[in-house]
Amino acid sequence: TTAASFLGMAAIAHAQEETRPITLETLTLTAESEATASPTPQTHQDAGQIARSQGASVAQVLQGVPGVTSSNGDNLLVSTPAIRGFGAGKHLANDPNVLVTMDGVSGDGGRIYQNASGMVADPVLLKSIDVLKGPLASLQYGSGVAGGTIAVRTIDASDLTGGKPGFRFRQLLGASSNGSGWVTSSTLAWQPGENLEFLANYSRNRLDRQEDGDGQEIALDGYNLPSHLLKARYTFGEAGEHRLSFSHARNSTAERDVPYGQMTGTDVFGNVNRDRTGTVTIAGWEWTPADNPLLAVELQASHSSQDTDITFLLGSPFGSMFGGQYNLKTDKLT
């Protein structure tokens, strides 16, 4: 034992003698994104962060944001985000405690029992996402929003052209093995001059039923979702202090022989044919005088029309109770 202890102490002493300090060269750290301090509980994601997330839906993009959870995040059609426990209710899918807006306008389709809100926003077109937590942070979007607001902004033509006259075309293709899903997105940006810009996009997302880890089909059905977006913006005045903008977005789905419980995939209510169309048209004016940094004026008028036609198939026990045509039209001036 004494010999072993002596040899061990000798080895430790030898190791200490061999230790030498290592001098590293100067390390330079560069941040990929900047965080802006805010008096409200707000989280901001820019286009780079959205692209790196590789999310198939807004709910999936926001999975890493503190306080935000999602239901059916892999499904673009029925994904529903929740903030601090508010929202994503499977029975009343359009939880008014959480508001999702795209370019300042909500595409809410109304409180249809056991059906999704139809919050459809293609991550390919997103420029930024702001998560405003709590009612105080959401006051600019309306009252009674207890959970918070998810404010989505879409790209403009100048984001692709770099603000220079000319054409730019972007084509994105994607595929997923689970559910044999695929996505195509074609975007054309045109600037005839430095003050005028146009953008047109056509996207189609398709996904069949997915399988879980055991190879069993998940109850939620897939989707085939075409959508398009048209935008125009004109800048004028000294230093471009006036901006006129216009946008029109449309998406539609046609589902056949699917469970009425769209959020849960349960067939206890029977099967239906469901057709849904959503359109949002926005016109706006912004004024930010160059000689007065304390003044900024924004005027926006919007019209949203969300149509859902639910036809119960023969033998469904709740056809007379839940079937019919639902239409929610919202005109808003902000």
Side-chain angles (χ1 to χ4, degrees):
T1 304
T2 304
S5 300
F6 175 77
L7 291 175
M9 294 176 61
I12 294 174
H14 179 72
Q16 291 177 342
E17 291 177 358
E18 293 297 327
T19 302
R20 295 288 187 273
I22 299 176
T23 303
L24 299 178
E25 297 181 359
T26 302
L27 299 179
T28 302
L29 302 179
T30 303
E32 294 186 357
S33 60
E34 297 181 358
T36 304
S38 172
T40 60
Q42 177 176 344
T43 302
H44 175 79
Q45 284 190 314
D46 57 25
Q49 293 169 308
I50 295 172
R52 287 192 295 273
S53 72
Q54 299 184 5
S57 65
V58 174
Q60 205 171 52
V61 171
L62 297 173
Q63 284 181 349
V65 177
V68 178
T69 57
S70 63
S71 174
N72 308 321
D74 292 333
N75 193 304
L76 180 64
L77 185 60
V78 298
S79 61
T80 308
I83 301 177
R84 295 175 174 175
F86 293 97
K90 62 183 180 181
H91 295 296
L92 292 174
N94 300 348
D95 194 328
N97 292 311
V98 172
L99 185 64
V100 181
T101 67
M102 187 164 69
D103 292 330
V105 180
S106 172
D108 190 354
R111 297 174 69 87
I112 305 176
Y113 183 71
Q114 281 283 355
N115 278 248
S117 63
M119 191 284 296
V120 178
D122 191 347
V124 172
L125 298 175
L126 304 188
K127 177 163 60 176
S128 67
I129 301 178
D130 289 290
V131 179
L132 311 172
K133 302 173 184 178
L136 294 180
S138 305
L139 282 179
Q140 69 186 91
Y141 296 99
S143 61
V145 188
T149 299
I150 297 175
V152 178
R153 290 286 177 181
T154 58
I155 60 174
D156 294 298
S158 55
D159 294 317
L160 300 183
T161 63
K164 299 179 180 179
F167 289 91
R168 293 293 186 274
F169 179 75
R170 184 177 71 179
Q171 177 65 49
L172 297 178
L173 297 172
S176 60
S177 58
N178 191 352
S180 301
W182 56 267
V183 57
T184 175
S185 177
S186 306
T187 306
L188 175 64
W190 175 40
Q191 274 198 248
E194 294 184 354
N195 298 332
L196 184 61
E197 58 185 90
F198 300 94
L199 181 136
N201 170 269
Y202 175 80
S203 299
R204 182 180 287 269
N205 289 266
R206 182 180 176 85
L207 182 69
D208 293 329
R209 277 199 173 189
Q210 295 179 299
E211 297 179 351
D212 59 19
D214 295 327
Q216 303 296 322
E217 280 194 345
I218 300 174
L220 292 175
D221 286 275
Y223 54 85
N224 185 7
L225 180 64
S227 61
H228 70 250
L229 174 66
L230 303 174
K231 299 185 75 174
R233 186 167 67 174
Y234 176 61
T235 304
F236 61 98
E238 297 181 7
E241 60 185 19
H242 293 276
R243 289 180 296 276
L244 296 176
S245 60
F246 171 84
S247 69
H248 177 76
R250 184 183 188 275
N251 58 75
S252 61
T253 56
E255 302 169 277
R256 293 295 177 265
D257 197 9
V258 295
Y260 174 75
Q262 190 179 18
M263 292 290 292
T264 59
T266 177
D267 58 0
V268 66
F269 298 105
N271 282 16
V272 301
N273 292 335
R274 182 189 300 107
D275 296 284
R276 182 187 174 279
T277 302
T279 60
V280 175
T281 304
I282 307 172
W285 167 64
E286 297 178 56
W287 176 45
T288 53
D291 57 350
N292 190 348
L294 300 180
L295 181 62
V297 179
E298 180 178 358
L299 181 65
Q300 184 183 79
S302 64
H303 174 75
S304 172
S305 178
Q306 309 297 323
D307 301 299
T308 305
D309 187 354
I310 299 177
T311 303
F312 273 80
L313 303 181
L314 294 176
S316 299
F318 297 94
S320 60
M321 185 182 302
F322 296 128
Q325 295 181 345
Y326 300 84
N327 175 258
L328 179 66
K329 295 182 182 294
T330 306
D331 294 297
K332 187 176 180 181
L333 180 64
T334 305

